[in-house]
Amino acid sequence: MLNLEGNFEMRGADWRLTADSAQVHGPVEDPERLVILGTPARVSLIRRNGERASGTGERITYWRRRELVEVDGTAAFATGDLAVTSSKIIYDVDKERLESVGDEGVTVVLREH
């Protein structure tokens, strides 16, 4: 595991992570998991249809091989016409599916074009 402090940014062809600090699990050139912390930590992904999906939270875990993004702590995630806020959001990149839980509830907003 590699710990990084300061203005962290890591990106691939279809994803980008920015945060105050990060933990890289696995080889740096092909990490299996990235854990980032920030105020907020940010993730941006390009979906298969070319649309952007993005999330912010206090902690974001990106499981690259499993294609899962977990956003924790004041979590927000938006993709297409959908925006979700809660304490935890899990986005399955492969299935393009959002799951959310929250002690204080979950807010889902469907935006119209």
PDB file of all heavy atoms in Angstrom, residues 11-38:
ATOM      1  N   ARG A  11      -5.643   9.537 -12.616  1.00  0.00           N
ATOM      2  CA  ARG A  11      -6.636   9.368 -13.671  1.00  0.00           C
ATOM      3  C   ARG A  11      -6.272   8.231 -14.595  1.00  0.00           C
ATOM      4  O   ARG A  11      -5.130   7.855 -14.735  1.00  0.00           O
ATOM      5  CB  ARG A  11      -6.822  10.656 -14.461  1.00  0.00           C
ATOM      6  CG  ARG A  11      -5.591  11.116 -15.210  1.00  0.00           C
ATOM      7  CD  ARG A  11      -5.831  12.346 -16.051  1.00  0.00           C
ATOM      8  NE  ARG A  11      -5.962  13.516 -15.222  1.00  0.00           N
ATOM      9  CZ  ARG A  11      -6.538  14.632 -15.618  1.00  0.00           C
ATOM     10  NH1 ARG A  11      -7.042  14.731 -16.821  1.00  0.00           N
ATOM     11  NH2 ARG A  11      -6.627  15.666 -14.823  1.00  0.00           N
ATOM     12  N   GLY A  12      -7.324   7.702 -15.211  1.00  0.00           N
ATOM     13  CA  GLY A  12      -7.199   6.694 -16.240  1.00  0.00           C
ATOM     14  C   GLY A  12      -7.908   7.212 -17.477  1.00  0.00           C
ATOM     15  O   GLY A  12      -8.319   8.379 -17.529  1.00  0.00           O
ATOM     16  N   ALA A  13      -8.113   6.357 -18.445  1.00  0.00           N
ATOM     17  CA  ALA A  13      -8.753   6.771 -19.693  1.00  0.00           C
ATOM     18  C   ALA A  13     -10.176   7.265 -19.480  1.00  0.00           C
ATOM     19  O   ALA A  13     -10.623   8.199 -20.143  1.00  0.00           O
ATOM     20  CB  ALA A  13      -8.751   5.610 -20.686  1.00  0.00           C
ATOM     21  N   ASP A  14     -10.904   6.671 -18.519  1.00  0.00           N
ATOM     22  CA  ASP A  14     -12.304   7.047 -18.330  1.00  0.00           C
ATOM     23  C   ASP A  14     -12.658   7.362 -16.880  1.00  0.00           C
ATOM     24  O   ASP A  14     -13.815   7.320 -16.486  1.00  0.00           O
ATOM     25  CB  ASP A  14     -13.220   5.942 -18.866  1.00  0.00           C
ATOM     26  CG  ASP A  14     -12.950   4.601 -18.219  1.00  0.00           C
ATOM     27  OD1 ASP A  14     -11.993   4.490 -17.422  1.00  0.00           O
ATOM     28  OD2 ASP A  14     -13.695   3.648 -18.510  1.00  0.00           O
ATOM     29  N   TRP A  15     -11.666   7.689 -16.049  1.00  0.00           N
ATOM     30  CA  TRP A  15     -11.923   8.044 -14.663  1.00  0.00           C
ATOM     31  C   TRP A  15     -10.879   9.027 -14.150  1.00  0.00           C
ATOM     32  O   TRP A  15      -9.774   9.116 -14.678  1.00  0.00           O
ATOM     33  CB  TRP A  15     -11.952   6.800 -13.772  1.00  0.00           C
ATOM     34  CG  TRP A  15     -10.701   5.970 -13.828  1.00  0.00           C
ATOM     35  CD1 TRP A  15     -10.407   4.988 -14.717  1.00  0.00           C
ATOM     36  CD2 TRP A  15      -9.554   6.076 -12.977  1.00  0.00           C
ATOM     37  NE1 TRP A  15      -9.158   4.469 -14.477  1.00  0.00           N
ATOM     38  CE2 TRP A  15      -8.616   5.108 -13.412  1.00  0.00           C
ATOM     39  CE3 TRP A  15      -9.233   6.883 -11.894  1.00  0.00           C
ATOM     40  CZ2 TRP A  15      -7.384   4.942 -12.785  1.00  0.00           C
ATOM     41  CZ3 TRP A  15      -8.004   6.709 -11.274  1.00  0.00           C
ATOM     42  CH2 TRP A  15      -7.098   5.749 -11.721  1.00  0.00           C
ATOM     43  N   ARG A  16     -11.266   9.763 -13.097  1.00  0.00           N
ATOM     44  CA  ARG A  16     -10.368  10.739 -12.466  1.00  0.00           C
ATOM     45  C   ARG A  16     -10.741  10.847 -11.001  1.00  0.00           C
ATOM     46  O   ARG A  16     -11.921  10.941 -10.657  1.00  0.00           O
ATOM     47  CB  ARG A  16     -10.525  12.092 -13.140  1.00  0.00           C
ATOM     48  CG  ARG A  16      -9.660  13.169 -12.536  1.00  0.00           C
ATOM     49  CD  ARG A  16      -9.826  14.468 -13.314  1.00  0.00           C
ATOM     50  NE  ARG A  16      -9.016  15.495 -12.734  1.00  0.00           N
ATOM     51  CZ  ARG A  16      -9.460  16.695 -12.393  1.00  0.00           C
ATOM     52  NH1 ARG A  16     -10.729  17.010 -12.598  1.00  0.00           N
ATOM     53  NH2 ARG A  16      -8.656  17.574 -11.854  1.00  0.00           N
ATOM     54  N   LEU A  17      -9.737  10.845 -10.112  1.00  0.00           N
ATOM     55  CA  LEU A  17      -9.936  10.996  -8.682  1.00  0.00           C
ATOM     56  C   LEU A  17      -9.104  12.172  -8.191  1.00  0.00           C
ATOM     57  O   LEU A  17      -7.938  12.300  -8.582  1.00  0.00           O
ATOM     58  CB  LEU A  17      -9.486   9.736  -7.934  1.00  0.00           C
ATOM     59  CG  LEU A  17     -10.187   8.426  -8.276  1.00  0.00           C
ATOM     60  CD1 LEU A  17      -9.424   7.264  -7.663  1.00  0.00           C
ATOM     61  CD2 LEU A  17     -11.609   8.447  -7.793  1.00  0.00           C
ATOM     62  N   THR A  18      -9.674  13.007  -7.340  1.00  0.00           N
ATOM     63  CA  THR A  18      -8.925  14.101  -6.717  1.00  0.00           C
ATOM     64  C   THR A  18      -9.289  14.143  -5.237  1.00  0.00           C
ATOM     65  O   THR A  18     -10.436  13.903  -4.866  1.00  0.00           O
ATOM     66  CB  THR A  18      -9.224  15.464  -7.361  1.00  0.00           C
ATOM     67  OG1 THR A  18     -10.621  15.733  -7.286  1.00  0.00           O
ATOM     68  CG2 THR A  18      -8.777  15.508  -8.809  1.00  0.00           C
ATOM     69  N   ALA A  19      -8.284  14.444  -4.393  1.00  0.00           N
ATOM     70  CA  ALA A  19      -8.511  14.448  -2.950  1.00  0.00           C
ATOM     71  C   ALA A  19      -7.337  15.095  -2.229  1.00  0.00           C
ATOM     72  O   ALA A  19      -6.345  15.470  -2.847  1.00  0.00           O
ATOM     73  CB  ALA A  19      -8.703  13.025  -2.454  1.00  0.00           C
ATOM     74  N   ASP A  20      -7.471  15.158  -0.910  1.00  0.00           N
ATOM     75  CA  ASP A  20      -6.400  15.670  -0.064  1.00  0.00           C
ATOM     76  C   ASP A  20      -5.344  14.599   0.214  1.00  0.00           C
ATOM     77  O   ASP A  20      -4.175  14.899   0.369  1.00  0.00           O
ATOM     78  CB  ASP A  20      -6.960  16.177   1.265  1.00  0.00           C
ATOM     79  CG  ASP A  20      -7.936  17.333   1.083  1.00  0.00           C
ATOM     80  OD1 ASP A  20      -7.768  18.109   0.121  1.00  0.00           O
ATOM     81  OD2 ASP A  20      -8.871  17.447   1.897  1.00  0.00           O
ATOM     82  N   SER A  21      -5.795  13.328   0.294  1.00  0.00           N
ATOM     83  CA  SER A  21      -4.863  12.232   0.526  1.00  0.00           C
ATOM     84  C   SER A  21      -5.421  10.968  -0.107  1.00  0.00           C
ATOM     85  O   SER A  21      -6.607  10.884  -0.427  1.00  0.00           O
ATOM     86  CB  SER A  21      -4.618  12.018   2.024  1.00  0.00           C
ATOM     87  OG  SER A  21      -5.811  11.607   2.661  1.00  0.00           O
ATOM     88  N   ALA A  22      -4.539   9.965  -0.259  1.00  0.00           N
ATOM     89  CA  ALA A  22      -4.959   8.731  -0.922  1.00  0.00           C
ATOM     90  C   ALA A  22      -4.141   7.553  -0.438  1.00  0.00           C
ATOM     91  O   ALA A  22      -3.006   7.707   0.019  1.00  0.00           O
ATOM     92  CB  ALA A  22      -4.792   8.868  -2.433  1.00  0.00           C
ATOM     93  N   GLN A  23      -4.756   6.381  -0.559  1.00  0.00           N
ATOM     94  CA  GLN A  23      -4.071   5.114  -0.358  1.00  0.00           C
ATOM     95  C   GLN A  23      -4.232   4.325  -1.646  1.00  0.00           C
ATOM     96  O   GLN A  23      -5.347   4.152  -2.133  1.00  0.00           O
ATOM     97  CB  GLN A  23      -4.684   4.319   0.788  1.00  0.00           C
ATOM     98  CG  GLN A  23      -4.569   4.970   2.130  1.00  0.00           C
ATOM     99  CD  GLN A  23      -5.318   4.180   3.186  1.00  0.00           C
ATOM    100  OE1 GLN A  23      -6.216   3.403   2.885  1.00  0.00           O
ATOM    101  NE2 GLN A  23      -4.923   4.373   4.424  1.00  0.00           N
ATOM    102  N   VAL A  24      -3.120   3.882  -2.197  1.00  0.00           N
ATOM    103  CA  VAL A  24      -3.140   3.086  -3.417  1.00  0.00           C
ATOM    104  C   VAL A  24      -2.836   1.649  -3.017  1.00  0.00           C
ATOM    105  O   VAL A  24      -1.775   1.359  -2.477  1.00  0.00           O
ATOM    106  CB  VAL A  24      -2.098   3.606  -4.436  1.00  0.00           C
ATOM    107  CG1 VAL A  24      -2.123   2.761  -5.695  1.00  0.00           C
ATOM    108  CG2 VAL A  24      -2.341   5.075  -4.755  1.00  0.00           C
ATOM    109  N   HIS A  25      -3.780   0.743  -3.265  1.00  0.00           N
ATOM    110  CA  HIS A  25      -3.625  -0.669  -2.938  1.00  0.00           C
ATOM    111  C   HIS A  25      -3.331  -1.433  -4.221  1.00  0.00           C
ATOM    112  O   HIS A  25      -4.124  -1.391  -5.155  1.00  0.00           O
ATOM    113  CB  HIS A  25      -4.901  -1.213  -2.274  1.00  0.00           C
ATOM    114  CG  HIS A  25      -5.227  -0.537  -0.989  1.00  0.00           C
ATOM    115  ND1 HIS A  25      -4.896  -1.081   0.225  1.00  0.00           N
ATOM    116  CD2 HIS A  25      -5.826   0.644  -0.718  1.00  0.00           C
ATOM    117  CE1 HIS A  25      -5.297  -0.275   1.184  1.00  0.00           C
ATOM    118  NE2 HIS A  25      -5.863   0.782   0.641  1.00  0.00           N
ATOM    119  N   GLY A  26      -2.211  -2.112  -4.255  1.00  0.00           N
ATOM    120  CA  GLY A  26      -1.786  -2.815  -5.449  1.00  0.00           C
ATOM    121  C   GLY A  26      -0.761  -1.985  -6.193  1.00  0.00           C
ATOM    122  O   GLY A  26      -0.366  -0.901  -5.760  1.00  0.00           O
ATOM    123  N   PRO A  27      -0.330  -2.464  -7.359  1.00  0.00           N
ATOM    124  CA  PRO A  27       0.685  -1.741  -8.126  1.00  0.00           C
ATOM    125  C   PRO A  27       0.190  -0.358  -8.558  1.00  0.00           C
ATOM    126  O   PRO A  27      -0.965  -0.214  -8.966  1.00  0.00           O
ATOM    127  CB  PRO A  27       0.910  -2.626  -9.352  1.00  0.00           C
ATOM    128  CG  PRO A  27       0.247  -3.922  -9.069  1.00  0.00           C
ATOM    129  CD  PRO A  27      -0.762  -3.692  -8.008  1.00  0.00           C
ATOM    130  N   VAL A  28       1.028   0.633  -8.471  1.00  0.00           N
ATOM    131  CA  VAL A  28       0.635   1.996  -8.832  1.00  0.00           C
ATOM    132  C   VAL A  28       0.176   2.065 -10.286  1.00  0.00           C
ATOM    133  O   VAL A  28      -0.786   2.762 -10.603  1.00  0.00           O
ATOM    134  CB  VAL A  28       1.800   2.985  -8.587  1.00  0.00           C
ATOM    135  CG1 VAL A  28       1.464   4.373  -9.104  1.00  0.00           C
ATOM    136  CG2 VAL A  28       2.152   3.037  -7.118  1.00  0.00           C
ATOM    137  N   GLU A  29       0.817   1.324 -11.175  1.00  0.00           N
ATOM    138  CA  GLU A  29       0.451   1.370 -12.589  1.00  0.00           C
ATOM    139  C   GLU A  29      -0.870   0.641 -12.881  1.00  0.00           C
ATOM    140  O   GLU A  29      -1.477   0.847 -13.927  1.00  0.00           O
ATOM    141  CB  GLU A  29       1.569   0.825 -13.475  1.00  0.00           C
ATOM    142  CG  GLU A  29       1.909  -0.627 -13.261  1.00  0.00           C
ATOM    143  CD  GLU A  29       2.823  -0.901 -12.070  1.00  0.00           C
ATOM    144  OE1 GLU A  29       3.271   0.036 -11.379  1.00  0.00           O
ATOM    145  OE2 GLU A  29       3.087  -2.087 -11.810  1.00  0.00           O
ATOM    146  N   ASP A  30      -1.323  -0.211 -11.950  1.00  0.00           N
ATOM    147  CA  ASP A  30      -2.583  -0.939 -12.132  1.00  0.00           C
ATOM    148  C   ASP A  30      -3.182  -1.264 -10.764  1.00  0.00           C
ATOM    149  O   ASP A  30      -3.299  -2.429 -10.377  1.00  0.00           O
ATOM    150  CB  ASP A  30      -2.325  -2.231 -12.929  1.00  0.00           C
ATOM    151  CG  ASP A  30      -3.608  -2.958 -13.289  1.00  0.00           C
ATOM    152  OD1 ASP A  30      -4.675  -2.318 -13.348  1.00  0.00           O
ATOM    153  OD2 ASP A  30      -3.545  -4.183 -13.491  1.00  0.00           O
ATOM    154  N   PRO A  31      -3.594  -0.237 -10.006  1.00  0.00           N
ATOM    155  CA  PRO A  31      -4.079  -0.482  -8.643  1.00  0.00           C
ATOM    156  C   PRO A  31      -5.402  -1.249  -8.638  1.00  0.00           C
ATOM    157  O   PRO A  31      -6.235  -1.085  -9.521  1.00  0.00           O
ATOM    158  CB  PRO A  31      -4.257   0.922  -8.075  1.00  0.00           C
ATOM    159  CG  PRO A  31      -4.387   1.809  -9.248  1.00  0.00           C
ATOM    160  CD  PRO A  31      -3.637   1.170 -10.366  1.00  0.00           C
ATOM    161  N   GLU A  32      -5.555  -2.104  -7.623  1.00  0.00           N
ATOM    162  CA  GLU A  32      -6.820  -2.820  -7.487  1.00  0.00           C
ATOM    163  C   GLU A  32      -7.848  -1.972  -6.753  1.00  0.00           C
ATOM    164  O   GLU A  32      -9.043  -2.105  -6.989  1.00  0.00           O
ATOM    165  CB  GLU A  32      -6.616  -4.155  -6.779  1.00  0.00           C
ATOM    166  CG  GLU A  32      -6.042  -4.017  -5.387  1.00  0.00           C
ATOM    167  CD  GLU A  32      -5.666  -5.351  -4.777  1.00  0.00           C
ATOM    168  OE1 GLU A  32      -4.827  -6.048  -5.359  1.00  0.00           O
ATOM    169  OE2 GLU A  32      -6.229  -5.681  -3.722  1.00  0.00           O
ATOM    170  N   ARG A  33      -7.372  -1.081  -5.868  1.00  0.00           N
ATOM    171  CA  ARG A  33      -8.287  -0.243  -5.079  1.00  0.00           C
ATOM    172  C   ARG A  33      -7.600   1.064  -4.743  1.00  0.00           C
ATOM    173  O   ARG A  33      -6.422   1.094  -4.402  1.00  0.00           O
ATOM    174  CB  ARG A  33      -8.671  -0.983  -3.803  1.00  0.00           C
ATOM    175  CG  ARG A  33      -9.532  -0.200  -2.869  1.00  0.00           C
ATOM    176  CD  ARG A  33     -10.040  -1.063  -1.718  1.00  0.00           C
ATOM    177  NE  ARG A  33      -8.999  -1.857  -1.099  1.00  0.00           N
ATOM    178  CZ  ARG A  33      -8.707  -1.839   0.205  1.00  0.00           C
ATOM    179  NH1 ARG A  33      -9.389  -1.074   1.032  1.00  0.00           N
ATOM    180  NH2 ARG A  33      -7.758  -2.591   0.678  1.00  0.00           N
ATOM    181  N   LEU A  34      -8.353   2.142  -4.836  1.00  0.00           N
ATOM    182  CA  LEU A  34      -7.880   3.465  -4.441  1.00  0.00           C
ATOM    183  C   LEU A  34      -8.833   3.994  -3.377  1.00  0.00           C
ATOM    184  O   LEU A  34     -10.055   3.967  -3.567  1.00  0.00           O
ATOM    185  CB  LEU A  34      -7.880   4.422  -5.628  1.00  0.00           C
ATOM    186  CG  LEU A  34      -6.976   4.031  -6.791  1.00  0.00           C
ATOM    187  CD1 LEU A  34      -7.405   4.744  -8.054  1.00  0.00           C
ATOM    188  CD2 LEU A  34      -5.547   4.364  -6.455  1.00  0.00           C
ATOM    189  N   VAL A  35      -8.291   4.457  -2.261  1.00  0.00           N
ATOM    190  CA  VAL A  35      -9.096   5.053  -1.203  1.00  0.00           C
ATOM    191  C   VAL A  35      -8.631   6.488  -1.077  1.00  0.00           C
ATOM    192  O   VAL A  35      -7.450   6.740  -0.823  1.00  0.00           O
ATOM    193  CB  VAL A  35      -8.918   4.310   0.138  1.00  0.00           C
ATOM    194  CG1 VAL A  35      -9.752   4.984   1.221  1.00  0.00           C
ATOM    195  CG2 VAL A  35      -9.292   2.843  -0.003  1.00  0.00           C
ATOM    196  N   ILE A  36      -9.562   7.435  -1.269  1.00  0.00           N
ATOM    197  CA  ILE A  36      -9.179   8.836  -1.208  1.00  0.00           C
ATOM    198  C   ILE A  36     -10.014   9.539  -0.142  1.00  0.00           C
ATOM    199  O   ILE A  36     -11.177   9.211   0.089  1.00  0.00           O
ATOM    200  CB  ILE A  36      -9.315   9.530  -2.581  1.00  0.00           C
ATOM    201  CG1 ILE A  36     -10.757   9.538  -3.079  1.00  0.00           C
ATOM    202  CG2 ILE A  36      -8.396   8.874  -3.597  1.00  0.00           C
ATOM    203  CD1 ILE A  36     -10.977  10.369  -4.327  1.00  0.00           C
ATOM    204  N   LEU A  37      -9.376  10.517   0.510  1.00  0.00           N
ATOM    205  CA  LEU A  37     -10.018  11.300   1.562  1.00  0.00           C
ATOM    206  C   LEU A  37      -9.890  12.768   1.220  1.00  0.00           C
ATOM    207  O   LEU A  37      -8.847  13.211   0.735  1.00  0.00           O
ATOM    208  CB  LEU A  37      -9.348  11.026   2.910  1.00  0.00           C
ATOM    209  CG  LEU A  37      -9.282   9.566   3.349  1.00  0.00           C
ATOM    210  CD1 LEU A  37      -8.383   9.423   4.559  1.00  0.00           C
ATOM    211  CD2 LEU A  37     -10.665   9.035   3.644  1.00  0.00           C
ATOM    212  N   GLY A  38     -10.937  13.532   1.507  1.00  0.00           N
ATOM    213  CA  GLY A  38     -10.859  14.951   1.199  1.00  0.00           C
ATOM    214  C   GLY A  38     -12.042  15.723   1.707  1.00  0.00           C
ATOM    215  O   GLY A  38     -12.980  15.178   2.269  1.00  0.00           O
TER     216      GLY A  38
END
